[in-house]
Amino acid sequence: MLSGQRDPILVPEVSQHEVQVRQGFTGTELLLFGAIIDPAGRGVGGQYDIVVVLKGPPEPIRLREKARFAGVWVNAESTDFRSVPSFFAVASSRPIEEIVDQKTAAIYEFGTEYIQLSPTGIIDPEEQARFAAGLVDLKTRQNLYQEIVGGVELREDVLYQARISLPSNVSTGIYTAETFAVTDGRVIASAMAEVAVRKVGFERFIENSANHWGLYYGFAAVVLSIGMGWAASRFYAMI
C-alpha cells in the first residue's frame, strides 16, 4: 500500500487582533504564535524553519532626493511609489540566507531588500534601486521596517512564537501576519492572520473629521490657530 507524504499544516494566532491607538500611545508588542502540525505525526525537530512577515496597509509615497545647490539643500529628483507597506517586519528562526535562496526570498518578500514597492512611471533601473534603498533606509530609521533574525522561537517541536514591536508612529488599518514553514529551501506551508490597528476616542474623532469633513476641519483648524495666537498675545501683553 502506497501513501503520499503530506505537507505540514500551520495554525497561526495573534496575541491581540485589535490594537487601539489612544492619546499618549507609545507603541505595543505583538506576539505571533501558533502550531506546526505534521500529518505524519512527526515532531518538527529541526525539520522546518519558520518565517513570519507582518505588513501594514499599503500607501502611495512620493520620495524626493535632496541636492546641494549654491550652498543650499534643495529638492532635486523625485519618484512615486504606488503601493508601499506602511509597516514591514520579518522574523525568522535563522538568517534568511541560510533558509532560502535569493529567488525564493524575493518571491515571498523575506527581507526589506525584497519588498515590492511598485514604482510608477518610467525610471532608470539604477535610479529606481537608489530611490528604493533610500525609502527602505528612511523607514528603517523610523522603526517602521524591521528584520528580526532569530526572532522566531520553536518549542516542543510543534509550537512557535515571534515578538514584533509596533512603534508609536504606526499607521492605522488592517495588518496581515503571514507565517511560512520552510524546509530544504522550499516553502511548504503558509497561513495568515490579521490585526486591526484603530484610533479610538478623541484621536478617532479627529481622524474621521479630517477624512469626511475636510473643508470644515480645515476651517476649524485655522480658526483655532488664530484664536490660540490671539489668546497668547493677550496673555503676554498683560504680563
Side-chain angles (χ1 to χ4, degrees), residues 157-178:
D157 295 342
V158 174
L159 306 176
Y160 70 87
Q161 68 172 28
R163 297 181 184 274
I164 298 178
S165 296
L166 294 180
S168 59
N169 55 337
V170 292
S171 299
T172 56
I174 302 299
Y175 286 60
T176 58
E178 192 163 9

Side-chain angles (χ1 to χ4, degrees), residues 165-217:
S165 296
L166 294 180
S168 59
N169 55 337
V170 292
S171 299
T172 56
I174 302 299
Y175 286 60
T176 58
E178 192 163 9
T179 304
F180 301 88
V182 185
T183 186
D184 296 328
R186 185 173 63 93
V187 174
I188 57 174
S190 66
M192 184 179 296
E194 291 186 346
V195 179
V197 178
R198 307 185 190 282
K199 290 185 177 179
V200 295
F202 184 69
E203 285 71 19
R204 182 174 179 81
F205 170 75
I206 292 295
E207 182 181 48
N208 287 339
S209 299
N211 290 334
H212 299 292
W213 304 288
L215 179 63
Y216 300 105
Y217 174 82

Side-chain angles (χ1 to χ4, degrees), residues 25-195:
F25 177 72
T26 58
T28 188
E29 183 180 70
L30 287 180
L31 174 63
L32 300 100
F33 60 97
I36 218 179
I37 302 173
D38 192 327
R42 299 185 302 266
V44 174
Q47 296 179 42
Y48 310 115
D49 279 293
I50 297 294
V51 181
V52 177
V53 179
L54 178 64
K55 297 173 67 173
E59 58 187 9
I61 286 182
R62 168 167 291 180
L63 191 67
R64 298 185 182 276
E65 190 175 50
K66 295 287 187 179
R68 198 172 183 85
F69 179 77
V72 179
W73 288 100
V74 296
N75 290 329
E77 300 293 331
S78 67
T79 191
D80 294 318
F81 293 94
R82 182 173 58 252
S83 180
V84 176
S86 55
F87 180 87
F88 184 92
V90 175
S92 56
S93 53
R94 289 190 296 154
I96 293 297
E97 61 271 18
E98 297 180 7
I99 299 176
V100 295
D101 57 24
Q102 290 186 347
K103 180 179 179 180
T104 304
I107 292 174
Y108 294 100
E109 296 181 283
F110 286 171
T112 55
E113 63 180 301
Y114 302 115
I115 300 175
Q116 299 173 13
L117 296 173
S118 303
T120 61
I122 301 175
I123 184 171
D124 179 76
E126 292 185 2
E127 186 176 349
Q128 176 182 328
R130 188 177 75 254
F131 274 102
L135 175 59
V136 170
D137 178 67
L138 176 63
K139 291 281 192 179
T140 300
R141 286 187 279 112
Q142 295 172 339
N143 203 28
L144 292 172
Y145 283 5
Q146 306 170 18
E147 290 185 349
I148 312 168
V149 178
V152 177
E153 180 181 354
L154 293 169
R155 293 183 176 180
E156 300 178 2
D157 295 342
V158 174
L159 306 176
Y160 70 87
Q161 68 172 28
R163 297 181 184 274
I164 298 178
S165 296
L166 294 180
S168 59
N169 55 337
V170 292
S171 299
T172 56
I174 302 299
Y175 286 60
T176 58
E178 192 163 9
T179 304
F180 301 88
V182 185
T183 186
D184 296 328
R186 185 173 63 93
V187 174
I188 57 174
S190 66
M192 184 179 296
E194 291 186 346
V195 179

